[in-house]
Amino acid sequence: MSAQIQDSKTPSQLNIDCKNCALEKMCFPAKIDAEELVEFNQLVIHHKPAKRGQYWYRAEQQFRSIFVVRSGCVKTLVITRAGNQQIRGFYLPGEMFGLDALGTGRYTTSAQVLQSSSVCEIPFSKLDEICSLLPSLQRQLLHIMSKEIHNEQCLIAMLGNTTAEERVAAFLCSMSQRFSLRGFSANEFILGMPRIDIGNYLGLAVETVCRVITRFQKKRLLTAQGKHIKILKLEQLYETASVTLPCTSAPH
Amino acid sequence: MSAQIQDSKTPSQLNIDCKNCALEKMCFPAKIDAEELVEFNQLVIHHKPAKRGQYWYRAEQQFRSIFVVRSGCVKTLVITRAGNQQIRGFYLPGEMFGLDALGTGRYTTSAQVLQSSSVCEIPFSKLDEICSLLPSLQRQLLHIMSKEIHNEQCLIAMLGNTTAEERVAAFLCSMSQRFSLRGFSANEFILGMPRIDIGNYLGLAVETVCRVITRFQKKRLLTAQGKHIKILKLEQLYETASVTLPCTSAPH
DNA sequence: CGTTGTCTTGACGATTGTCAATGGTTGTGG
DNA sequence: CCACAACCATTGACAATCGTCAAGACAACG
């Protein structure tokens, strides 16, 4: 089952350069200098936008690349023994996925496009070569991975909360934070994923997610029209989330 | 608040050598050669056993070292806004903690001794130096971090389960696996942590953890006498856990 | 403009948290 | 070795929360 995105159409590279990318400051090459950036740019595959539902890789496939979201939203998931999908993470612009495969040599999750999104692919064999020449890049990679660990610890914090309100609040705070760190508004954003995926991710039924959001609206903490979220009382939302945020993905 | 373990008594180094350590095969220097191991061993601080309740580091403190559990059990935790502790992870012999600090330069959790345990400390500044000389060690560090990411994804999987039975089953399976990977029995082990910490970790009340374990005993899936767990039907426990395990810490 | 998927709400039953009580375990100091 | 004090594990009763089922509104998309 070679079910990569290349199956249906072969996406060619776009004429995009790391140097001009809006994400440059928060992406992989954030701390390397101009000359090195040119070199780095050459190994990156800047894919054309991919449509909803398509896969960047599937669980068990051999590790080949690390990916960075340029726009849109990507989710990672596994299929449980019962045959259900369980969502492991959402990735917003500037965030990196595929890192978990580095240790085992195989992807442990599948990565699927949620909103149509553009993604950059960094083949690891080449990255590894370059890293051994550029200590700063090597260090940058370590930092990104450490941040990833930190992010996941924060997700764990979120899921460790016992009540649905705490979890949903923590989820929204984490989203707010991630958007904010990428230069978007911390108070108003469009969620890239449907409620059912949020529920799956948080270990809650869709209906519970909806009801909690409705409750938050009645308390005037926020307004929500579908995926469009506007947070009115961020501080109070953080209090509801209870756990020690801020947590997620600072620019690398 | 300099609340490290050194406060009460200054633990001196033990006369222990990485070369003779039972964990050598699954620890940090697993893949480096004999000469390099000597060098590596010199930078490791082999601490004397620490007592229950003592801290190895606290959240917000400046990152200085990575730690490896040699024996016993260590938990990492944060204090929530409400002033409660939330447990982020348990670390068994051969497992490494403190990795999340690498990116931010500060520990994001506090690390506290559960069962009295021995720990090795690896000062990072020196490790960083050695790593730039030994590419194999550098690569090993990346692998360890990637594994850590994978582990946490598995925890996320566990917490993403909606029912208490699924969560507790997943927790026990994960423990079974981790013990097994370290050469202990997969079916019979002593949990290093009290029920209340398991509950906290899983987002469940203590009583629920107890009741689920009692239910498992009635179903003859396992027997439990306090912390002593004996799994009778591991396969069925995995089915109850639902999520795709195996997941945790393969030897690095 | 219909089709499909998503969001929202209500009703009800199952699960889980809270409170309270009891017995067991572990560790400490005499 | 014993006695005591913490701490821990377990169980029951009851209330709150959450999942399930069902139905309808809304939105996105071809």
Side-chain angles (χ1 to χ4, degrees):
Chain A
M1 183 170 40
S2 158
Q4 295 159 26
I5 197 166
Q6 285 81 351
D7 278 357
S8 45
K9 359 184 143 179
T10 307
S12 57
Q13 295 193 221
L14 282 178
N15 196 8
I16 286 180
D17 196 301
C18 289
K19 199 159 53 179
N20 307 322
C21 180
L23 293 172
E24 195 255 331
K25 285 282 166 287
M26 55 195 65
C27 182
F28 204 96
K31 283 173 192 158
I32 67 181
D33 63 32
E35 282 174 45
E36 295 169 349
L37 185 56
V38 172
E39 196 174 356
F40 180 82
N41 183 58
Q42 280 170 358
L43 69 86
V44 176
I45 305 170
H46 303 276
H47 285 286
K48 282 198 295 191
K51 280 185 192 161
R52 176 197 172 77
Q54 293 187 305
Y55 286 90
W56 283 106
Y57 54 77
R58 298 222 189 208
E60 308 297 333
Q61 275 180 0
Q62 206 187 335
F63 175 49
R64 58 178 203 284
S65 298
I66 288 169
F67 298 83
V68 183
V69 179
R70 198 146 20 88
S71 70
C73 189
V74 171
K75 71 178 174 185
T76 53
L77 56 94
V78 297
I79 304 299
T80 67
R81 298 197 160 206
N84 305 314
Q85 68 169 344
Q86 197 201 41
I87 294 168
R88 293 286 175 89
F90 298 109
Y91 295 85
L92 307 181
E95 295 178 341
M96 208 165 288
F97 59 97
L99 288 173
D100 54 298
L102 219 159
T104 58
R106 293 191 172 275
Y107 294 108
T108 55
T109 58
S110 303
Q112 194 179 21
V113 174
L114 267 169
Q115 286 182 331
S116 65
S117 70
S118 306
V119 164
C120 297
E121 178 175 352
I122 308 171
F124 188 71
S125 56
K126 294 180 189 167
L127 179 63
D128 204 30
E129 274 176 36
I130 291 199
C131 277
S132 44
L133 300 176
L134 302 178
S136 62
L137 198 59
Q138 178 75 270
R139 212 163 276 136
Q140 174 78 344
L141 182 55
L142 273 183
H143 278 210
I144 287 173
M145 296 193 63
S146 176
K147 286 254 171 62
E148 180 78 10
I149 291 174
H150 184 205
N151 289 349
E152 309 219 322
Q153 293 231 345
C154 291
L155 170 56
I156 290 164
M158 180 153 80
L159 295 173
N161 282 330
T162 54
T163 71
E165 286 207 0
E166 283 171 351
R167 289 196 206 172
V168 175
F171 176 77
L172 291 173
C173 288
S174 133
M175 280 294 153
S176 160
Q177 180 128 48
R178 286 158 74 177
F179 279 115
S180 149
L181 283 168
R182 276 160 189 78
F184 302 103
S185 167
N187 298 302
E188 191 168 0
F189 45 82
I190 309 286
L191 291 173
M193 68 295 292
R195 298 276 193 274
I196 194 168
D197 283 349
I198 298 175
N200 182 307
Y201 183 61
L202 296 177
L204 299 169
V206 204
E207 295 92 331
T208 306
V209 175
C210 280
R211 275 190 265 263
V212 169
I213 289 177
T214 304
R215 231 176 292 158
F216 285 164
Q217 290 190 79
K218 283 180 184 159
K219 286 185 192 168
R220 306 257 176 265
L221 293 182
L222 52 83
T223 62
Q225 288 162 339
K227 299 188 171 56
H228 186 152
I229 305 288
K230 196 169 181 175
I231 298 175
L232 303 176
K233 293 174 186 162
L234 188 56
E235 181 54 30
Q236 216 172 319
L237 205 59
Y238 270 101
E239 274 164 33
T240 309
S242 154
V243 97
T244 319
L245 297 163
C247 63
T248 35
S249 314
H252 299 304
Chain B
M1 181 166 45
S2 158
Q4 295 161 27
I5 197 163
Q6 283 82 349
D7 278 357
S8 45
K9 358 186 146 177
T10 307
S12 57
Q13 295 194 220
L14 282 177
N15 197 9
I16 286 180
D17 196 299
C18 288
K19 199 158 56 180
N20 307 322
C21 180
L23 294 172
E24 195 254 332
K25 284 283 167 287
M26 54 196 66
C27 183
F28 204 97
K31 282 171 191 158
I32 67 181
D33 63 33
E35 284 175 44
E36 295 169 347
L37 185 55
V38 172
E39 195 172 358
F40 180 82
N41 184 57
Q42 279 169 359
L43 69 84
V44 176
I45 306 170
H46 303 275
H47 284 287
K48 281 200 296 193
K51 279 185 190 162
R52 175 199 174 75
Q54 293 186 306
Y55 286 90
W56 284 106
Y57 53 77
R58 297 221 190 210
E60 308 298 331
Q61 273 181 1
Q62 206 185 335
F63 175 49
R64 58 179 202 284
S65 298
I66 287 170
F67 298 83
V68 183
V69 179
R70 196 145 26 85
S71 70
C73 187
V74 171
K75 71 178 174 185
T76 53
L77 56 94
V78 296
I79 304 299
T80 67
R81 298 198 160 206
N84 305 314
Q85 70 169 343
Q86 197 200 39
I87 293 168
R88 293 285 175 90
F90 299 108
Y91 295 85
L92 306 182
E95 296 178 340
M96 208 166 288
F97 59 97
L99 289 173
D100 55 299
L102 219 159
T104 58
R106 291 190 174 276
Y107 294 108
T108 55
T109 58
S110 303
Q112 194 178 21
V113 174
L114 267 169
Q115 287 183 329
S116 64
S117 71
S118 307
V119 164
C120 296
E121 177 174 354
I122 309 170
F124 188 71
S125 56
K126 294 181 189 165
L127 179 62
D128 203 30
E129 273 174 38
I130 291 200
C131 276
S132 44
L133 300 175
L134 301 178
S136 63
L137 199 59
Q138 178 75 271
R139 211 163 276 135
Q140 175 77 345
L141 182 55
L142 274 183
H143 278 210
I144 288 173
M145 297 194 62
S146 176
K147 286 254 171 63
E148 180 77 10
I149 291 175
H150 185 205
N151 289 351
E152 309 219 323
Q153 293 232 344
C154 291
L155 170 56
I156 290 165
M158 181 152 80
L159 295 173
N161 282 330
T162 54
T163 72
E165 286 208 359
E166 282 170 350
R167 288 196 206 172
V168 175
F171 177 78
L172 291 173
C173 287
S174 134
M175 279 296 153
S176 159
Q177 182 128 49
R178 286 158 73 177
F179 280 114
S180 150
L181 282 169
R182 278 163 187 76
F184 302 104
S185 166
N187 298 304
E188 192 167 1
F189 45 83
I190 311 285
L191 291 174
M193 69 295 293
R195 300 274 193 275
I196 195 169
D197 283 350
I198 298 175
N200 182 308
Y201 184 61
L202 296 177
L204 299 169
V206 205
E207 295 92 333
T208 307
V209 175
C210 281
R211 275 190 267 262
V212 169
I213 289 177
T214 304
R215 230 177 293 157
F216 284 163
Q217 290 189 80
K218 282 181 184 158
K219 287 184 190 169
R220 305 257 176 268
L221 293 183
L222 52 82
T223 61
Q225 288 162 341
K227 298 189 171 56
H228 185 152
I229 303 289
K230 195 168 182 176
I231 298 176
L232 304 175
K233 293 174 187 162
L234 188 57
E235 181 55 30
Q236 215 171 321
L237 204 59
Y238 270 101
E239 273 165 32
T240 310
S242 153
V243 97
T244 320
L245 298 162
C247 61
T248 33
S249 315
H252 299 303

PDB file of all heavy atoms in Angstrom, chain A residues 163-164 204 207-208 211, chain D residues 17-22:
ATOM      1  N   THR A 163     -11.913  16.853  33.771  1.00  0.00           N
ATOM      2  CA  THR A 163     -13.226  17.240  33.247  1.00  0.00           C
ATOM      3  C   THR A 163     -13.139  17.712  31.799  1.00  0.00           C
ATOM      4  O   THR A 163     -12.098  18.167  31.327  1.00  0.00           O
ATOM      5  CB  THR A 163     -13.845  18.364  34.094  1.00  0.00           C
ATOM      6  OG1 THR A 163     -13.121  19.566  33.861  1.00  0.00           O
ATOM      7  CG2 THR A 163     -13.796  18.029  35.570  1.00  0.00           C
ATOM      8  N   ALA A 164     -14.270  17.601  31.119  1.00  0.00           N
ATOM      9  CA  ALA A 164     -14.353  18.005  29.721  1.00  0.00           C
ATOM     10  C   ALA A 164     -14.082  19.505  29.572  1.00  0.00           C
ATOM     11  O   ALA A 164     -13.390  19.926  28.644  1.00  0.00           O
ATOM     12  CB  ALA A 164     -15.725  17.657  29.166  1.00  0.00           C
ATOM     13  N   LEU A 204     -12.989  12.774  24.121  1.00  0.00           N
ATOM     14  CA  LEU A 204     -14.357  13.169  24.455  1.00  0.00           C
ATOM     15  C   LEU A 204     -15.268  12.893  23.261  1.00  0.00           C
ATOM     16  O   LEU A 204     -14.811  12.827  22.116  1.00  0.00           O
ATOM     17  CB  LEU A 204     -14.408  14.673  24.765  1.00  0.00           C
ATOM     18  CG  LEU A 204     -13.577  15.190  25.937  1.00  0.00           C
ATOM     19  CD1 LEU A 204     -13.546  16.708  25.928  1.00  0.00           C
ATOM     20  CD2 LEU A 204     -14.128  14.654  27.247  1.00  0.00           C
ATOM     21  N   GLU A 207     -20.326  15.432  20.919  1.00  0.00           N
ATOM     22  CA  GLU A 207     -21.417  16.176  21.553  1.00  0.00           C
ATOM     23  C   GLU A 207     -20.930  16.897  22.804  1.00  0.00           C
ATOM     24  O   GLU A 207     -21.350  18.018  23.079  1.00  0.00           O
ATOM     25  CB  GLU A 207     -22.555  15.214  21.919  1.00  0.00           C
ATOM     26  CG  GLU A 207     -23.231  14.570  20.716  1.00  0.00           C
ATOM     27  CD  GLU A 207     -22.599  13.242  20.341  1.00  0.00           C
ATOM     28  OE1 GLU A 207     -21.390  13.063  20.593  1.00  0.00           O
ATOM     29  OE2 GLU A 207     -23.302  12.378  19.793  1.00  0.00           O
ATOM     30  N   THR A 208     -20.047  16.254  23.522  1.00  0.00           N
ATOM     31  CA  THR A 208     -19.516  16.895  24.727  1.00  0.00           C
ATOM     32  C   THR A 208     -18.711  18.142  24.359  1.00  0.00           C
ATOM     33  O   THR A 208     -18.841  19.182  25.004  1.00  0.00           O
ATOM     34  CB  THR A 208     -18.634  15.914  25.518  1.00  0.00           C
ATOM     35  OG1 THR A 208     -19.374  14.735  25.760  1.00  0.00           O
ATOM     36  CG2 THR A 208     -18.192  16.506  26.826  1.00  0.00           C
ATOM     37  N   ARG A 211     -21.177  20.828  23.536  1.00  0.00           N
ATOM     38  CA  ARG A 211     -21.863  21.333  24.726  1.00  0.00           C
ATOM     39  C   ARG A 211     -20.953  22.218  25.570  1.00  0.00           C
ATOM     40  O   ARG A 211     -21.372  23.264  26.062  1.00  0.00           O
ATOM     41  CB  ARG A 211     -22.374  20.164  25.566  1.00  0.00           C
ATOM     42  CG  ARG A 211     -23.723  19.666  25.090  1.00  0.00           C
ATOM     43  CD  ARG A 211     -24.314  18.676  26.076  1.00  0.00           C
ATOM     44  NE  ARG A 211     -24.007  17.306  25.671  1.00  0.00           N
ATOM     45  CZ  ARG A 211     -24.850  16.538  24.985  1.00  0.00           C
ATOM     46  NH1 ARG A 211     -26.029  16.988  24.627  1.00  0.00           N
ATOM     47  NH2 ARG A 211     -24.511  15.302  24.645  1.00  0.00           N
TER      48      ARG A 211
ATOM     49  P    DT D  17     -21.400  18.667  37.181  1.00  0.00           P
ATOM     50  OP1  DT D  17     -20.423  19.760  37.308  1.00  0.00           O
ATOM     51  OP2  DT D  17     -22.799  18.927  36.741  1.00  0.00           O
ATOM     52  O5'  DT D  17     -20.796  17.573  36.205  1.00  0.00           O
ATOM     53  C5'  DT D  17     -19.627  16.869  36.604  1.00  0.00           C
ATOM     54  C4'  DT D  17     -19.351  15.779  35.609  1.00  0.00           C
ATOM     55  O4'  DT D  17     -20.352  14.748  35.702  1.00  0.00           O
ATOM     56  C3'  DT D  17     -19.349  16.253  34.153  1.00  0.00           C
ATOM     57  O3'  DT D  17     -18.100  15.882  33.616  1.00  0.00           O
ATOM     58  C2'  DT D  17     -20.519  15.516  33.511  1.00  0.00           C
ATOM     59  C1'  DT D  17     -20.678  14.301  34.418  1.00  0.00           C
ATOM     60  N1   DT D  17     -22.053  13.743  34.535  1.00  0.00           N
ATOM     61  C2   DT D  17     -22.265  12.404  34.260  1.00  0.00           C
ATOM     62  O2   DT D  17     -21.377  11.652  33.896  1.00  0.00           O
ATOM     63  N3   DT D  17     -23.556  11.974  34.429  1.00  0.00           N
ATOM     64  C4   DT D  17     -24.635  12.727  34.839  1.00  0.00           C
ATOM     65  O4   DT D  17     -25.746  12.228  34.958  1.00  0.00           O
ATOM     66  C5   DT D  17     -24.348  14.119  35.119  1.00  0.00           C
ATOM     67  C7   DT D  17     -25.451  15.026  35.577  1.00  0.00           C
ATOM     68  C6   DT D  17     -23.087  14.552  34.955  1.00  0.00           C
ATOM     69  P    DC D  18     -17.675  16.300  32.140  1.00  0.00           P
ATOM     70  OP1  DC D  18     -16.208  16.353  32.140  1.00  0.00           O
ATOM     71  OP2  DC D  18     -18.493  17.447  31.697  1.00  0.00           O
ATOM     72  O5'  DC D  18     -18.113  15.019  31.305  1.00  0.00           O
ATOM     73  C5'  DC D  18     -17.555  13.765  31.661  1.00  0.00           C
ATOM     74  C4'  DC D  18     -18.169  12.675  30.824  1.00  0.00           C
ATOM     75  O4'  DC D  18     -19.522  12.473  31.262  1.00  0.00           O
ATOM     76  C3'  DC D  18     -18.221  12.979  29.329  1.00  0.00           C
ATOM     77  O3'  DC D  18     -17.561  11.926  28.641  1.00  0.00           O
ATOM     78  C2'  DC D  18     -19.718  13.078  29.027  1.00  0.00           C
ATOM     79  C1'  DC D  18     -20.343  12.248  30.138  1.00  0.00           C
ATOM     80  N1   DC D  18     -21.727  12.650  30.537  1.00  0.00           N
ATOM     81  C2   DC D  18     -22.714  11.666  30.701  1.00  0.00           C
ATOM     82  O2   DC D  18     -22.415  10.479  30.509  1.00  0.00           O
ATOM     83  N3   DC D  18     -23.955  12.041  31.073  1.00  0.00           N
ATOM     84  C4   DC D  18     -24.239  13.326  31.278  1.00  0.00           C
ATOM     85  N4   DC D  18     -25.478  13.628  31.651  1.00  0.00           N
ATOM     86  C5   DC D  18     -23.258  14.347  31.123  1.00  0.00           C
ATOM     87  C6   DC D  18     -22.026  13.970  30.749  1.00  0.00           C
ATOM     88  P    DG D  19     -17.556  11.851  27.058  1.00  0.00           P
ATOM     89  OP1  DG D  19     -16.182  11.448  26.683  1.00  0.00           O
ATOM     90  OP2  DG D  19     -18.141  13.093  26.514  1.00  0.00           O
ATOM     91  O5'  DG D  19     -18.538  10.640  26.725  1.00  0.00           O
ATOM     92  C5'  DG D  19     -18.228   9.353  27.241  1.00  0.00           C
ATOM     93  C4'  DG D  19     -19.265   8.352  26.781  1.00  0.00           C
ATOM     94  O4'  DG D  19     -20.553   8.735  27.308  1.00  0.00           O
ATOM     95  C3'  DG D  19     -19.431   8.262  25.269  1.00  0.00           C
ATOM     96  O3'  DG D  19     -19.655   6.896  24.919  1.00  0.00           O
ATOM     97  C2'  DG D  19     -20.655   9.140  24.988  1.00  0.00           C
ATOM     98  C1'  DG D  19     -21.481   8.978  26.258  1.00  0.00           C
ATOM     99  N9   DG D  19     -22.240  10.172  26.638  1.00  0.00           N
ATOM    100  C8   DG D  19     -21.777  11.462  26.748  1.00  0.00           C
ATOM    101  N7   DG D  19     -22.701  12.311  27.135  1.00  0.00           N
ATOM    102  C5   DG D  19     -23.837  11.532  27.291  1.00  0.00           C
ATOM    103  C6   DG D  19     -25.151  11.893  27.692  1.00  0.00           C
ATOM    104  O6   DG D  19     -25.588  13.012  28.009  1.00  0.00           O
ATOM    105  N1   DG D  19     -26.002  10.790  27.708  1.00  0.00           N
ATOM    106  C2   DG D  19     -25.632   9.508  27.397  1.00  0.00           C
ATOM    107  N2   DG D  19     -26.584   8.587  27.472  1.00  0.00           N
ATOM    108  N3   DG D  19     -24.413   9.156  27.026  1.00  0.00           N
ATOM    109  C4   DG D  19     -23.571  10.220  26.996  1.00  0.00           C
ATOM    110  P    DT D  20     -19.896   6.491  23.391  1.00  0.00           P
ATOM    111  OP1  DT D  20     -19.286   5.159  23.235  1.00  0.00           O
ATOM    112  OP2  DT D  20     -19.478   7.619  22.527  1.00  0.00           O
ATOM    113  O5'  DT D  20     -21.474   6.346  23.241  1.00  0.00           O
ATOM    114  C5'  DT D  20     -22.182   5.513  24.162  1.00  0.00           C
ATOM    115  C4'  DT D  20     -23.655   5.499  23.787  1.00  0.00           C
ATOM    116  O4'  DT D  20     -24.289   6.701  24.281  1.00  0.00           O
ATOM    117  C3'  DT D  20     -23.937   5.447  22.278  1.00  0.00           C
ATOM    118  O3'  DT D  20     -24.907   4.438  22.049  1.00  0.00           O
ATOM    119  C2'  DT D  20     -24.469   6.835  21.948  1.00  0.00           C
ATOM    120  C1'  DT D  20     -25.105   7.258  23.273  1.00  0.00           C
ATOM    121  N1   DT D  20     -25.138   8.721  23.545  1.00  0.00           N
ATOM    122  C2   DT D  20     -26.312   9.279  24.000  1.00  0.00           C
ATOM    123  O2   DT D  20     -27.331   8.633  24.184  1.00  0.00           O
ATOM    124  N3   DT D  20     -26.242  10.628  24.244  1.00  0.00           N
ATOM    125  C4   DT D  20     -25.147  11.450  24.068  1.00  0.00           C
ATOM    126  O4   DT D  20     -25.211  12.647  24.321  1.00  0.00           O
ATOM    127  C5   DT D  20     -23.954  10.799  23.583  1.00  0.00           C
ATOM    128  C7   DT D  20     -22.700  11.599  23.368  1.00  0.00           C
ATOM    129  C6   DT D  20     -24.005   9.482  23.351  1.00  0.00           C
ATOM    130  P    DC D  21     -25.255   3.964  20.568  1.00  0.00           P
ATOM    131  OP1  DC D  21     -25.473   2.505  20.622  1.00  0.00           O
ATOM    132  OP2  DC D  21     -24.262   4.540  19.641  1.00  0.00           O
ATOM    133  O5'  DC D  21     -26.661   4.680  20.310  1.00  0.00           O
ATOM    134  C5'  DC D  21     -27.722   4.498  21.248  1.00  0.00           C
ATOM    135  C4'  DC D  21     -28.869   5.426  20.911  1.00  0.00           C
ATOM    136  O4'  DC D  21     -28.562   6.766  21.369  1.00  0.00           O
ATOM    137  C3'  DC D  21     -29.188   5.545  19.416  1.00  0.00           C
ATOM    138  O3'  DC D  21     -30.580   5.337  19.242  1.00  0.00           O
ATOM    139  C2'  DC D  21     -28.760   6.961  19.057  1.00  0.00           C
ATOM    140  C1'  DC D  21     -28.978   7.686  20.391  1.00  0.00           C
ATOM    141  N1   DC D  21     -28.184   8.923  20.571  1.00  0.00           N
ATOM    142  C2   DC D  21     -28.786  10.052  21.149  1.00  0.00           C
ATOM    143  O2   DC D  21     -29.961   9.995  21.492  1.00  0.00           O
ATOM    144  N3   DC D  21     -28.047  11.170  21.311  1.00  0.00           N
ATOM    145  C4   DC D  21     -26.772  11.197  20.929  1.00  0.00           C
ATOM    146  N4   DC D  21     -26.080  12.325  21.119  1.00  0.00           N
ATOM    147  C5   DC D  21     -26.141  10.063  20.334  1.00  0.00           C
ATOM    148  C6   DC D  21     -26.879   8.953  20.174  1.00  0.00           C
ATOM    149  P    DA D  22     -31.248   5.278  17.802  1.00  0.00           P
ATOM    150  OP1  DA D  22     -32.345   4.298  17.901  1.00  0.00           O
ATOM    151  OP2  DA D  22     -30.208   5.120  16.764  1.00  0.00           O
ATOM    152  O5'  DA D  22     -31.869   6.744  17.668  1.00  0.00           O
ATOM    153  C5'  DA D  22     -32.638   7.273  18.743  1.00  0.00           C
ATOM    154  C4'  DA D  22     -33.089   8.674  18.392  1.00  0.00           C
ATOM    155  O4'  DA D  22     -32.089   9.635  18.791  1.00  0.00           O
ATOM    156  C3'  DA D  22     -33.324   8.900  16.891  1.00  0.00           C
ATOM    157  O3'  DA D  22     -34.514   9.643  16.699  1.00  0.00           O
ATOM    158  C2'  DA D  22     -32.102   9.686  16.473  1.00  0.00           C
ATOM    159  C1'  DA D  22     -31.866  10.527  17.730  1.00  0.00           C
ATOM    160  N9   DA D  22     -30.530  11.070  17.836  1.00  0.00           N
ATOM    161  C8   DA D  22     -29.346  10.480  17.475  1.00  0.00           C
ATOM    162  N7   DA D  22     -28.279  11.228  17.672  1.00  0.00           N
ATOM    163  C5   DA D  22     -28.805  12.397  18.203  1.00  0.00           C
ATOM    164  C6   DA D  22     -28.206  13.589  18.630  1.00  0.00           C
ATOM    165  N6   DA D  22     -26.893  13.804  18.587  1.00  0.00           N
ATOM    166  N1   DA D  22     -29.014  14.553  19.107  1.00  0.00           N
ATOM    167  C2   DA D  22     -30.341  14.337  19.144  1.00  0.00           C
ATOM    168  N3   DA D  22     -31.014  13.260  18.777  1.00  0.00           N
ATOM    169  C4   DA D  22     -30.186  12.314  18.307  1.00  0.00           C
TER     170       DA D  22
END
